[in-house]
Amino acid sequence: MASIAANPTLDLVGCYAWSKDKAGRDVGELAGIAPLGVKATNDVGALLALKPDVVVYNPMWIDVDELVLILEAGVNVVASASFITGHNLGEGRDRIQEACEKGGATMFGSGVSPGFAELLAIVAATGCARVDKVSIAEASDTTFYDSPDTERPCGFGMPIDDPNLAPMMSKGTAIFAEAVRLVADALGVELDEIVCEAEYAQTTEDVEMASWTIKAGCVAGVFASWQGRVGGKTVVDLNVRWRKGQTLDPDWKVEGDPWKITIEGLPMVTMQVGFLPPPDFIETAKTMEDFMGLGHIITAMPPIHAIPAVVAAAPGIATYNDLPLTLPRGIVAAG
């Protein structure tokens, strides 16, 4: 919210209050910045009556009914988290597409972890005369990322021998299947199948975090590799390796930059992607939560930067492959 308010190319006209205690409060106050003269509200009808060009929609798990309501009202949507192509939604994707056509609106999702890693891989592949395989590997120690609502669905905290572990993890990381589709589509490849291969690690001692605890013998490490295959050969591999605590068994090492992008082909292209706090941020940050917020920024900003392209796009579900290059306008500091 603070980034939208600070961007001179954007005009914030309304904000949805996700909890009752936020309704009626100034959005600037909620974002920890100066008052903006815009009140948060939980009245969806009132927000749509403002006739915004676009809604920035960033819950971790999307609600098809909510999206249909917004899109049918003729309002474009940019989202992060659990939407890229919509293919995981089954009939829900058809409903979203129909709502776009009815309202003349566009739905765009960048994905998560962060979504633009796939865009970087696509750009890297444009330097190749031949591509054999695209891999995006994420490896992170998420001990200080305290979000049980998003991590439990990936298997964290479940007993290592729980028979429901694999189905739970596959569902919780399913957005990566949509990311695989995005990359394959950019390559012009029609996949035969998308599969998920997984590994798990348990903690030998309780891992205590700010709001929850992973008990000994339960999952504190997750590896998920979502692979798009043609003729039995993997051409796209998007994988994540997340760990918590210092008592993991096996003790996976996650060192260096979080993301490694590899384009196997002619030539091979490799890319390491990480992020660091700037000096002025280090001076003002007070808690680990402040530093973890950098990950939220790098996830939330790609759809915000896509707003002009999405507003100009034809009605329907759009991905990075359908839009012109999104540009980081309005964020260069003055002076």
Side-chain angles (χ1 to χ4, degrees):
M1 193 62 64
S3 297
I4 294 174
N7 193 317
T9 71
L10 302 174
D11 184 16
L12 180 68
V13 297
C15 176
Y16 181 72
W18 288 94
S19 57
K20 291 182 178 180
D21 63 310
K22 295 179 180 179
R25 295 170 62 184
D26 190 279
V27 176
E29 175 194 350
L30 295 176
I33 58 177
L36 299 175
V38 177
K39 302 291 186 181
T41 178
N42 53 16
D43 185 340
V44 175
L47 289 172
L48 294 178
L50 295 171
K51 298 188 181 302
D53 292 317
V54 64
V55 165
V56 179
Y57 183 87
N58 289 338
M60 182 62 198
W61 312 111
I62 67 164
D63 185 310
V64 172
D65 291 338
E66 288 178 346
L67 290 175
V68 167
L69 180 65
I70 297 168
L71 295 164
E72 284 187 345
V75 181
N76 303 291
V77 175
V78 297
S80 62
S82 60
F83 191 95
I84 300 176
T85 67
H87 283 88
N88 289 340
L89 302 175
E91 294 181 357
R93 186 181 191 279
D94 295 334
R95 292 183 59 204
I96 290 173
Q97 177 65 32
E98 291 169 2
C100 287
E101 295 170 358
K102 181 177 180 179
T106 303
M107 173 73 205
F108 169 80
S110 64
V112 71
S113 201
F116 78 95
E118 288 77 52
L119 178 60
L120 294 178
I122 291 169
V123 171
T126 64
C128 300
R130 186 190 77 240
V131 171
D132 301 319
K133 181 181 179 180
V134 175
S135 300
I136 305 173
E138 176 188 345
S140 301
D141 185 330
T142 65
T143 303
F144 294 106
Y145 178 67
D146 184 42
S147 181
D149 288 343
T150 59
E151 294 181 299
R152 284 195 176 103
C154 298
F156 281 103
M158 295 182 67
I160 194 69
D161 57 355
D162 192 318
N164 295 315
L165 178 56
M168 171 71 79
M169 190 281 300
S170 294
K171 183 178 180 181
T173 62
I175 187 58
F176 292 104
E178 294 195 9
V180 168
R181 286 182 181 273
L182 173 71
V183 176
D185 179 61
L187 295 170
V189 173
E190 185 173 342
L191 299 172
D192 295 331
E193 60 178 349
I194 299 176
V195 300
C196 179
E197 296 186 352
E199 300 173 14
Y200 312 97
Q202 63 181 314
T203 178
T204 58
E205 299 178 17
D206 290 358
V207 178
E208 296 184 4
M209 291 163 288
S211 66
W212 66 306
T213 298
I214 298 178
K215 297 293 186 180
C218 293
V219 173
V222 169
F223 172 79
S225 173
W226 284 91
Q227 302 176 18
R229 297 174 179 171
V230 177
K233 175 187 175 183
T234 297
V235 293
V236 181
D237 179 7
L238 307 186
N239 62 75
V240 294
R241 189 180 300 275
W242 298 318
R243 65 166 293 162
K244 287 187 178 293
Q246 303 305 311
T247 55
L248 207 63
D249 180 26
D251 189 17
W252 296 340
K253 301 302 180 185
V254 289
E255 301 172 337
D257 291 324
W259 296 278
K260 181 178 181 180
I261 297 172
T262 305
I263 314 297
E264 297 178 31
L266 181 67
M268 289 189 64
V269 180
T270 61
M271 186 185 305
Q272 297 283 131
V273 181
F275 59 88
L276 296 169
D280 59 332
F281 184 92
I282 295 175
E283 294 172 359
T284 58
K286 298 180 175 61
T287 66
M288 182 56 68
E289 184 177 351
D290 291 333
F291 285 94
M292 294 304 295
L294 294 173
H296 299 156
I297 293 172
I298 205 172
T299 299
M301 289 309 300
I304 291 173
H305 288 311
I307 287 175
V310 171
V311 170
I317 296 172
T319 71
Y320 278 124
N321 297 333
D322 304 305
L323 301 178
L325 180 65
T326 58
L327 300 173
R329 296 287 169 79
I331 58 173
V332 175

